[in-house]
Amino acid sequence: MAKTRQFTITIPNQPGALAAITRPLSAGKVNLVALLATSQGTNATVQLIAENPKKAKRALDEAHISYQETPAEELTLINKAGALTQVLDRLAAKGVNLNSLYATAAKGGKRATVVYTAEAQAQTVSV
């Protein structure tokens, strides 16, 4: 389990809005490890994890993009049925209340990546 930082950004739900976020990150040579974007009416929320959070913060600040920064955990799991449930069961048993979770794996890949944020008192729990 690796501690990292999640950046949450609210953008208008319109064409090009997400690219307006990724463009300065690309220019700053920030490699994104995970990204989730969801829309709700006229707005969208972007949650992202950068390989180097300090570089991401600098790129967002220089582009005058407002964000919320939250502690997060990044896990690498074996890509098999039930692996996520095992982790979720362990977190629940330790009283960890999740605020967000997103995961991905390449089709046929052997590993899956999971990113989650939790309530402040549960941030240091190891799985």
Side-chain angles (χ1 to χ4, degrees), residues 6 19 24 28 38 42 44 97:
Q6 174 180 276
T38 57
T42 60
N97 188 31

Side-chain angles (χ1 to χ4, degrees), residues 3-49:
K3 293 190 179 307
T4 189
R5 306 297 291 174
Q6 174 180 276
F7 296 90
T8 302
I9 304 162
T10 301
I11 58 174
N13 183 12
Q14 62 187 35
L18 184 55
I21 301 300
T22 61
R23 191 174 299 108
L25 293 168
S26 297
K29 301 197 183 311
V30 176
N31 186 40
L32 297 180
V33 176
L35 185 140
L36 172 67
T38 57
S39 64
Q40 303 88 25
T42 60
N43 288 319
T45 301
V46 178
Q47 294 172 307
L48 63 89
I49 303 293

Side-chain angles (χ1 to χ4, degrees), residues 98-116:
L98 299 175
N99 289 333
S100 67
L101 183 141
Y102 39 107
T104 190
K107 185 176 181 179
K110 297 190 184 300
R111 299 284 178 203
T113 299
V114 176
V115 175
Y116 73 87

Side-chain angles (χ1 to χ4, degrees), residues 76-120:
T76 301
L77 308 178
I78 294 172
N79 187 13
K80 69 173 188 172
L84 179 60
T85 300
Q86 289 175 349
V87 169
L88 294 174
D89 285 344
R90 281 184 263 162
L91 290 170
K94 294 182 181 207
V96 176
N97 188 31
L98 299 175
N99 289 333
S100 67
L101 183 141
Y102 39 107
T104 190
K107 185 176 181 179
K110 297 190 184 300
R111 299 284 178 203
T113 299
V114 176
V115 175
Y116 73 87
T117 62
E119 290 183 351

